[in-house]
Amino acid sequence: MSSKIIHMKTVGQIIRAKRESLGLLLRQVASYLDIDQAILSKIERNERKPTKDNIIKLAEILKLDREDLLIQFMSEKIAYEIADEDCASKVLKVAEQKVKYLKSNLVKN
């Protein structure tokens, strides 16, 4: 995983920091995504979740590693979904086993 993306930063924080470091305006990036700049602002402030398509386009325009940003996006979705559960760590372990099982069965079919 790229050292440019810090695991504990939110997707919004990563996007804002990179956009600002490239000197891009909110309206420029929002236009590229074909969304209102208020929506992008909310994404950067973690008040709204981006779509997977938004993440892919953001990686491109912000020159971020696509896989790294997708990992951050998906892991954040999962983390927010199960964070309040006492058994969150166990859920992740079982989910990892299920992913391996599903992938191995998809290869066979």
Side-chain angles (χ1 to χ4, degrees):
M1 181 163 250
S2 170
S3 62
K4 293 182 182 181
I5 293 186
I6 307 300
H7 293 287
M8 301 312 288
K9 281 191 172 183
T10 66
V11 170
Q13 290 170 328
I14 293 165
I15 292 166
R16 175 178 274 167
K18 187 63 173 176
R19 177 183 61 76
E20 289 176 347
S21 76
L22 292 173
L24 296 172
L25 300 173
L26 201 60
R27 65 179 163 76
Q28 292 173 303
V29 177
S31 175
Y32 177 78
L33 296 174
D34 197 27
I35 62 174
D36 189 87
Q37 69 184 38
I39 293 173
L40 180 57
S41 178
K42 287 181 180 182
I43 290 170
E44 287 186 351
R45 293 191 318 267
N46 301 301
E47 295 173 4
R48 183 172 176 149
K49 299 296 175 206
T51 65
K52 184 178 178 183
D53 187 52
N54 290 153
I55 291 296
I56 292 167
K57 289 179 180 178
L58 283 162
E60 183 179 321
I61 193 170
L62 298 176
K63 298 174 178 65
L64 290 167
D65 183 274
R66 178 182 169 179
E67 183 176 318
D68 285 351
L69 195 57
L70 280 169
I71 288 169
Q72 292 298 317
F73 166 69
M74 288 185 273
S75 65
E76 196 168 291
K77 282 176 59 171
I78 294 166
Y80 278 107
E81 183 69 29
I82 67 171
D84 293 337
E85 301 297 330
D86 291 335
C87 59
S89 293
K90 290 179 184 177
V91 169
L92 290 174
K93 288 176 187 173
V94 172
E96 183 177 19
Q97 292 169 351
K98 285 185 180 186
V99 167
K100 287 177 185 175
Y101 173 79
L102 292 171
K103 282 189 171 195
S104 69
N105 283 333
L106 289 175
V107 171
K108 291 177 187 176
N109 294 334

